[in-house]
Structure formats: structure tokens, C-alpha cells
Amino acid sequence: MTLRPITPQPGNDRDPMNFVGRVHITSQARELLKHGTNLLLTDPRRMGKTFWMDYFASQEAGFHCYSINYEGVFTIHDFLIKTTNSLIKERALPERVLTKLRTIFNNCDIEFSPGFLTLKPFHHQTSPHALLTSVLTALDNDEDDAIPVVMMDEIPLAIKNIANREGASAAEELLQTLQALRQNTRHVRWIVTGSIGFHHVLREINTTHGVLNDLTPVSLGPLADKEAEELASCLLLGIEQPLIESVVNELIEVSGGIPFLLHTVAAKLGHQHGNVVKPNDVRECFEDLVDSPDDLNWFKHNRGRITQNYGTRARIANEILRKTLSETNMWVTTDSLVPDDKAADTLEDLVNDHYLERRGLSVRWRYPAFQYIWARKMRVWDRQ
């Protein structure tokens, strides 16, 4: 294994050259997409979904990937324009697709300028759902060797925003349009993901998972042991530290093999230590990060998401999370957690949100590193 320095960049690294690991999921995705299966990435925030999609798009020669991030979309029209702008930004967009776009929009031939596209007068009365279908089906062609893959990021957030702005029926119609596109295009493949769970959004618009049942769920999870060792080693080299086995192991231990946490702890170590880092330094650095009001801001965001997504059930959700805490990551029987149907529904959402994992009639925290941070931030556990 050849190691090279990687400068820690928590949550910001987009250079495919710095991507480490995910061999199994990459191979699995390649085979599934090749055989016509569309994917739903189900991980929570900060598990590296977007970076993995960037890496996949850059490395997989058998696919032509189109990445579209729908953050900031609040209307169906926004969704249509964001989709089209993202396609035009793709310099290798097939001429047949550009020809289709020219029939719908003005300014398709100018240098990419976000938001500058306008509908041609003829299409002002055309349903944006019909136009969206027309735009994306233009990719459905078997003339090229590479399989087109549309990577749709932050879809649940966009659906939620559209429901709030234009109503639940508009959001549901968009989900149905996207499902019809996935089912009716023969050569295009689709990867859908987002930072909030679809189950929360579907409940808000009063619809079922039927609009997603053509997607196969895939989870990245933490890095495999050898991959975590590789990334930890590269990050230590990136902060000009020698590779000491006990230090590498401690960095993996505190991070749980989660790339974002590996980057975060390594970055802090690089700022704090001019001397050779020892295992205890890694642990102290991690504990300081947890104690800091300024670091690990994603946790504040996640805690706010519980209030936002669970609403009146937020207290029940936090109580279930508290009762399932275990320093040895023991399984807890669900009988002790769900005294009524409301608590049972809340527990199911916590599993779907990847806070917890289920085994029969027992659950436990899915990621021990996130459990530890939660327990410390909620002042249930003290520093180790």
C-alpha cells in the first residue's frame, strides 16, 4: 500500500485524488448500475455521500455522470432551472441534449451562468413537470458507450421546500414525475440522496414510500478497517507526523472510522502539535473537540434536525436515544423503549435516520463514535 500525504479538510475535500477507500460500495454500485438498478444513498450527514459520488463520477469510465445538487430549490420552476443549468455546465453534454434544451430555453449557447436561463415564450404555459421530463429523457440514448447516470443530491430537502412553498400536492407530483422518469428511461441510471431522511418528508406531504420503491437503498457507513488505517495514515502524513501504529489506531478508535471525524481530529492535531503526536494526544484532542462550543458544528445542526423533523416527538426521540446509550454498545430490547404507538413510530424513525440499528426486538446506536459525541454533548457522559 503506497501512502501519500493528504491535508485534512473536514467536509470540504472534493479532490478525487484524495479519496480513500469505499472499494466494496464502489464495486457494488458499479454492478448494480450496470444492470439497470437505481440507487438511494441512505446515510446521515457527514458520512461522505457527496464526495463518494464525485469520486465515482471521476473514476468510472463506463459511466457519464451528471451531478445536480438541489440545495436552495424552493419551487418546481427552481427545480427545472437547477437541473438544466447543471446539465449545461457539463461540457461533454451530448449535442442531441443541447438541441433539446435549445427548443425549451433561451441562452443555452452562452457560457454557463447560473440562473440566466429563461423559458421560450412558447413554453410559458407548459407544465414544468412535462419540461423536466423532456429535459431528462433527452439523456436516454444508447448511441454512447458510457451509461448516463444522473446523481441527484439534496432531493428530500428540495421536496420539503417545495411542499412548504407550493403545497404538498406539488411536491408529491414532482416525486411521481421523478419516479416515472426512472421507470421509463431505458439507458439512464439514477442515484438519489440527501441530508434528511425521505420518511420525514413523505409524512409531511401525506404520501407513502411507493414513490421510492424503484430505488435500491445503499449505505456507505464507516470505512472498512484497512481503509480507515490508510486514510488515518495519509492524514497523519499530511500534518507531517511520523506513522506510529498506536497513534494510527487511536485516531481510528476515536473517529469510529468515519472519514469526516478522521479529517476533523487530524486537522486539530495539525494545528495544536508541533511535536510528535502520542496516542493520548489524539484522545485529548478528540475530547477537546467535543467540549468546544465552536467545533463539531454539524452536531448542533443534527440536534436541531431532531427538533425540526420530529416536532412534538422530539422529547420522545431524545429519551429513546438516552435509554439506548451503552459504553459497550449493548443491544437494548425495544419493550423498554416503546410504551405506546407514538414512541414506536419515533423509534422506527430513529432507525431510518441511522441513529440506531435494529436486530430483531433489540436496538443499539448504529455508530459508536456518534453515540459518544451525543452523550458528551448532552452531558450524560464525562470525558474519558
Side-chain angles (χ1 to χ4, degrees), residues 142-300:
D142 60 355
E143 294 176 0
D144 300 328
D145 292 332
I147 299 171
V149 179
V150 180
M151 297 174 160
M152 293 184 153
D153 202 356
E154 294 297 357
I155 287 290
L157 181 60
I159 296 298
K160 181 182 179 72
N161 290 340
I162 289 169
N164 291 336
R165 181 73 61 86
E166 298 185 320
S169 60
E172 183 178 10
E173 186 177 0
L174 177 56
L175 282 173
Q176 291 171 347
T177 298
L178 293 175
Q179 183 180 48
L181 273 164
R182 296 191 298 269
Q183 293 174 337
N184 295 330
T185 48
R186 294 180 54 212
H187 304 287
V188 181
R189 307 293 185 262
W190 309 81
I191 299 178
V192 178
T193 190
S195 59
I196 59 176
F198 263 112
H199 50 287
H200 296 296
V201 178
L202 297 178
R203 182 184 292 114
E204 285 189 27
I205 64 176
N206 196 30
T207 192
T208 69
H209 275 77
V211 292
L212 305 173
N213 62 11
D214 59 303
L215 295 168
T216 295
V218 174
S219 176
L220 299 181
L223 293 174
D225 291 345
K226 288 295 184 183
E227 295 173 346
E229 180 183 349
E230 180 182 353
L231 179 57
S233 299
C234 291
L235 292 171
L236 287 170
L237 291 175
I239 59 172
E240 300 180 350
Q241 286 290 326
L243 295 185
I244 302 171
E245 184 178 0
S246 58
V247 173
V248 172
N249 290 340
E250 187 66 20
L251 183 53
I252 296 170
E253 174 68 22
V254 299
S255 67
I258 296 169
F260 169 72
L261 290 179
L262 282 164
H263 274 264
T264 301
V265 178
K268 193 77 168 180
L269 283 169
H271 294 147
Q272 289 182 342
H273 288 273
N275 301 321
V276 174
V277 171
K278 300 174 183 177
N280 186 61
D281 296 327
V282 177
R283 169 59 65 175
E284 285 298 305
C285 176
F286 174 67
E287 298 289 356
D288 290 344
L289 280 167
V290 177
D291 282 332
S292 170
D294 301 316
D295 294 312
L296 296 181
N297 281 326
W298 64 270
F299 177 82
K300 297 177 185 176

Side-chain angles (χ1 to χ4, degrees), residues 4 23 27 56 81 83-84 120 207 217 220 224 238 248 270 281 320-321 323:
R4 64 183 185 82
V23 173
S27 176
F56 188 91
I81 296 299
T83 300
T84 308
K120 290 189 174 181
T207 192
L220 299 181
V248 172
D281 296 327
I320 291 173
L321 292 175
K323 287 181 177 179

Side-chain angles (χ1 to χ4, degrees), residues 299-357:
F299 177 82
K300 297 177 185 176
H301 186 75
N302 278 6
R303 187 164 59 179
R305 280 278 174 87
I306 284 196
T307 302
Q308 181 180 8
N309 292 331
Y310 288 76
T312 58
R313 300 178 300 138
R315 183 188 60 79
I316 299 173
N318 282 320
E319 185 62 22
I320 291 173
L321 292 175
R322 187 183 300 269
K323 287 181 177 179
T324 51
L325 290 174
S326 168
E327 293 184 7
T328 55
N329 207 27
M330 294 288 291
W331 294 95
V332 179
T333 59
T334 55
D335 287 346
S336 62
L337 303 173
V338 290
D340 52 38
D341 290 343
K342 191 173 185 180
D345 290 342
T346 304
L347 175 63
E348 196 63 32
D349 280 351
L350 289 170
V351 172
N352 290 331
D353 283 332
H354 289 218
Y355 287 99
L356 305 176
E357 61 180 344

Side-chain angles (χ1 to χ4, degrees), residues 80 97 100-101 103-104 123 126-140 177 181:
L80 173 63
V97 182
K100 171 63 73 173
L101 297 182
T103 68
I104 301 174
H123 290 292
T126 306
S127 162
H129 300 88
L131 294 175
L132 181 66
T133 299
S134 184
V135 166
L136 289 173
T137 52
L139 297 171
D140 195 33
T177 298
L181 273 164

